[in-house]
Amino acid sequence: MKFAKIPMATINRLSIYMRTLQDLLEEEMDVISSERLAKQCGVNPAQIRKDLAYFGEFGVRGVGYRVSDLINQIKEILGLNRNWNLAMVGLGNLGSAMIRHGNFIKHGYIFTSAFDVDPQKVGKRLPNGLIINHVDELEEIVKEREAHIGIIATPASAAQSVANQLVLGGINGILNFAPVQIQVPDCCHVENVDFTIKLDCIAYHLSSGG
Amino acid sequence: MKFAKIPMATINRLSIYMRTLQDLLEEEMDVISSERLAKQCGVNPAQIRKDLAYFGEFGVRGVGYRVSDLINQIKEILGLNRNWNLAMVGLGNLGSAMIRHGNFIKHGYIFTSAFDVDPQKVGKRLPNGLIINHVDELEEIVKEREAHIGIIATPASAAQSVANQLVLGGINGILNFAPVQIQVPDCCHVENVDFTIKLDCIAYHLSSGG
DNA sequence: CCCATAATGTGAATAATATCACATTGTTAA
DNA sequence: TTAACAATGTGATATTATTCACATTATGGG
Ligand SMILES: NC(=O)c1ccc[n+]([C@@H]2O[C@H](COP(=O)([O-])OP(=O)(O)OC[C@H]3O[C@@H](n4cnc5c(N)ncnc54)[C@H](O)[C@@H]3O)[C@@H](O)[C@H]2O)c1
Ligand SMILES: NC(=O)c1ccc[n+]([C@@H]2O[C@H](COP(=O)([O-])OP(=O)(O)OC[C@H]3O[C@@H](n4cnc5c(N)ncnc54)[C@H](O)[C@@H]3O)[C@@H](O)[C@H]2O)c1
């Protein structure tokens, strides 16, 4: 099963399973069935088993999954048994909110650099101790601090240019909050987050009696 | 075509098309082909035509789509030719960042109430003029201010209880930022936003040579 | 030791989604 | 007027994802 092509949706769900399993671990639950986990994650039990089957056999028939083992297996699959260094670009409302947020570090995501163009912001120290650098220094600093993932939290108009600089800095993964489609070489993986799309989706459902 | 079941994915894409079309309008482009629009949105041209075909015929054969017309059509489809009132619950990092963000109002999303439990925050005035109310008053105030959509930006532990209160307040659409699956009656539509999942997804791609 | 039980892992069936390919139809210019 | 063109709208096809259904296999009690 190891080298089938893995559906994107599976990867997303693994992340959800892991989060739920971590909650379960805190509640001292040490074994769980796909049925109960599925209910808690809002998916079909067979889905969970299928998703896991892409990567191996992690359960015990007649019993279920050992919670802490499964967490470790999923971490291994997703590549989360290590830390990832993040470069934040754009320290406005959203960028600042994320840097202040404590949960990323818990999951092994560490902000090691931060960039803006605003001269008012460049040179300031953030709550986590980081100093904001000018975006012109991005390529250099990103290499120096071994950033793995870039986060674009600038206005849409700057997003493509920031993406270009991140790529030059050797970054192969980008989380983009700007509401535009950015163009990058194939070696670079982009994930987009756009809240407004989600709101539009809710509006649609409210409008058409869904 | 009007009453086929519409794929969720189609609704999401319509929102993206609209955003791109609005950019094109600013660049004074008044007609666009599905091919060019598709490139800009990163999808297949036939996809765009199929998505639109669920709702009618909006193009001109041999020519393409009139940009401003198509924007209006999509707004009509998604229910965006009106305003939607938002209730923000949890004025921490993320909730505050969203309220400060100017783009929501441009798209017809208006914050009409804001709630927290923290006595330090309750009573404070936000940059947009709103006063933060105590979450105990949620049900009442949400009804009074005719909120349509609730946004949950509290810690995960409070999310379900907030969701319950929103539903009691008559709200049928929820945007949930807390990393838990909330349970609501069928009449209520929930969309989840979880950045950490997106980061995990990038980590996976970086790890497995994608 | 063996049987009843419970829950996994998975092939087959189904459902959902995306793409192709082309007939159709407005447009423009000779 | 009409022919050449361009891009839509859509049935057919291909691909991808989800769910079903059950054979398989650990476990624990009698
Ligand atoms: N805040 C939200 O709730 C929200 C919601 C949806 C989408 N977004 C999107 O997220 C992005 C950020 O939103 P925000 O509210 O934080 O915006 P913001 O205006 O508060 O912050 C943008 C920051 O980027 C900086 N910047 C501009 N150009 C830059 C460049 N070339 N290099 C580096 N930094 C640059 C600005 O100086 C500013 O500090 C925007 O694209 C926005 O559309 C935000
Ligand atoms: N900020 C981020 O970058 C980020 C990223 C990913 C996920 N999230 C999620 O978004 C949510 C909010 O994140 P944050 O960083 O803004 O957290 P935060 O701790 O800064 O803010 C949470 C706010 O909710 C309030 N609150 C707590 N219980 C409440 C209740 N019952 N009713 C109303 N208000 C209540 C708190 O007083 C606080 O003001 C969390 O669930 C978090 O996991 C945030």
Side-chain angles (χ1 to χ4, degrees):
Chain A
M1 287 287 112
K2 266 278 155 77
F3 286 106
K5 206 175 78 278
I6 315 297
M8 198 58 203
T10 290
I11 301 304
N12 277 277
R13 282 190 298 262
L14 286 176
S15 178
I16 294 172
Y17 304 157
M18 191 186 65
R19 213 72 49 72
T20 304
L21 288 164
Q22 284 168 336
D23 290 346
L24 290 169
L25 195 64
E26 298 212 336
E27 295 162 24
E28 319 257 318
M29 178 161 294
D30 57 347
V31 166
I32 193 165
S33 67
S34 59
E35 190 168 334
R36 283 186 36 62
L37 181 59
K39 188 166 290 170
Q40 193 146 351
C41 297
V43 302
N44 182 295
Q47 184 81 81
I48 293 185
R49 300 198 297 271
K50 257 286 155 67
D51 285 338
L52 294 172
Y54 284 111
F55 301 97
E57 306 196 0
F58 307 120
V60 183
R61 292 180 194 218
V63 177
Y65 301 88
R66 285 200 46 78
V67 174
S68 73
D69 285 0
L70 191 50
I71 291 173
N72 290 332
Q73 298 284 5
I74 296 180
K75 280 194 168 181
E76 177 82 29
I77 292 166
L78 295 178
L80 301 178
N81 45 2
R82 50 162 288 179
N83 284 345
W84 294 95
N85 296 338
L86 309 180
M88 172 62 75
V89 192
L91 275 293
N93 298 313
L94 190 60
S96 311
M98 284 187 72
I99 290 217
R100 275 194 299 269
H101 186 60
N103 272 6
F104 293 110
I105 203 160
K106 265 191 236 165
H107 290 275
Y109 295 105
I110 324 273
F111 289 99
T112 61
S113 56
F115 304 92
D116 207 298
V117 275
D118 185 346
Q120 300 260 301
K121 290 179 178 164
V122 173
K124 286 260 163 66
R125 185 181 293 275
L126 293 163
N128 66 346
L130 267 189
I131 296 205
I132 303 179
N133 290 108
H134 194 280
V135 72
D136 288 346
E137 304 177 277
L138 192 150
E139 186 180 336
E140 186 190 2
I141 293 179
V142 145
K143 281 179 183 158
E144 184 183 305
R145 311 240 181 112
E146 300 182 39
H148 306 107
I149 299 173
I151 303 184
I152 301 179
T154 66
S157 54
Q160 183 61 59
S161 119
V162 167
N164 297 343
Q165 289 179 82
L166 288 169
V167 170
L168 284 175
I171 279 191
N172 294 313
I174 293 178
L175 183 61
N176 174 39
F177 286 96
V180 284
Q181 183 72 19
I182 60 177
Q183 303 295 325
V184 294
D186 283 349
C187 61
C188 185
H189 181 90
V190 178
E191 292 282 324
N192 296 291
V193 177
D194 192 337
F195 317 165
T196 319
I197 291 177
K198 299 288 188 164
L199 279 178
D200 290 352
C201 191
I202 295 173
Y204 168 78
H205 281 274
L206 294 182
S207 302
S208 48
Chain B
M1 287 287 114
K2 267 275 155 77
F3 286 106
K5 205 177 77 278
I6 315 297
M8 197 58 201
T10 290
I11 301 304
N12 277 278
R13 282 190 299 263
L14 286 177
S15 178
I16 294 172
Y17 304 157
M18 190 184 68
R19 212 72 49 75
T20 303
L21 289 163
Q22 285 168 336
D23 291 347
L24 290 169
L25 196 64
E26 299 210 337
E27 295 162 25
E28 318 257 319
M29 180 160 293
D30 57 347
V31 166
I32 192 164
S33 68
S34 61
E35 191 168 333
R36 282 184 38 60
L37 182 59
K39 189 166 291 170
Q40 194 146 351
C41 296
V43 302
N44 181 294
Q47 184 80 81
I48 294 185
R49 301 198 296 273
K50 258 285 157 64
D51 285 339
L52 293 172
Y54 284 112
F55 301 97
E57 305 194 1
F58 307 121
V60 183
R61 290 180 196 219
V63 177
Y65 300 89
R66 284 200 47 77
V67 173
S68 73
D69 284 0
L70 190 52
I71 290 173
N72 290 332
Q73 298 284 5
I74 296 180
K75 280 193 168 183
E76 177 81 29
I77 292 166
L78 296 178
L80 300 178
N81 45 2
R82 51 162 289 179
N83 285 345
W84 293 95
N85 295 337
L86 309 181
M88 172 62 76
V89 192
L91 276 293
N93 299 313
L94 191 60
S96 311
M98 285 187 72
I99 290 218
R100 275 193 300 269
H101 186 61
N103 273 5
F104 293 111
I105 203 161
K106 267 191 232 162
H107 290 274
Y109 295 106
I110 324 273
F111 290 100
T112 60
S113 58
F115 304 92
D116 208 297
V117 275
D118 184 345
Q120 300 261 299
K121 290 178 178 162
V122 173
K124 286 261 164 62
R125 185 182 293 274
L126 293 163
N128 66 348
L130 266 188
I131 296 206
I132 302 178
N133 291 107
H134 195 282
V135 72
D136 288 346
E137 303 177 277
L138 193 150
E139 187 180 336
E140 187 190 1
I141 293 180
V142 145
K143 281 180 183 158
E144 184 183 305
R145 311 237 182 116
E146 299 181 38
H148 306 107
I149 299 173
I151 303 184
I152 300 179
T154 66
S157 54
Q160 183 62 58
S161 119
V162 168
N164 297 344
Q165 289 178 82
L166 287 169
V167 169
L168 285 175
I171 279 190
N172 294 314
I174 293 179
L175 183 62
N176 174 39
F177 285 95
V180 283
Q181 184 72 20
I182 59 177
Q183 303 295 325
V184 294
D186 283 349
C187 62
C188 185
H189 181 89
V190 178
E191 291 282 325
N192 297 291
V193 177
D194 192 335
F195 318 165
T196 318
I197 292 177
K198 297 289 186 161
L199 280 178
D200 289 352
C201 191
I202 296 173
Y204 168 78
H205 282 273
L206 295 182
S207 302
S208 49

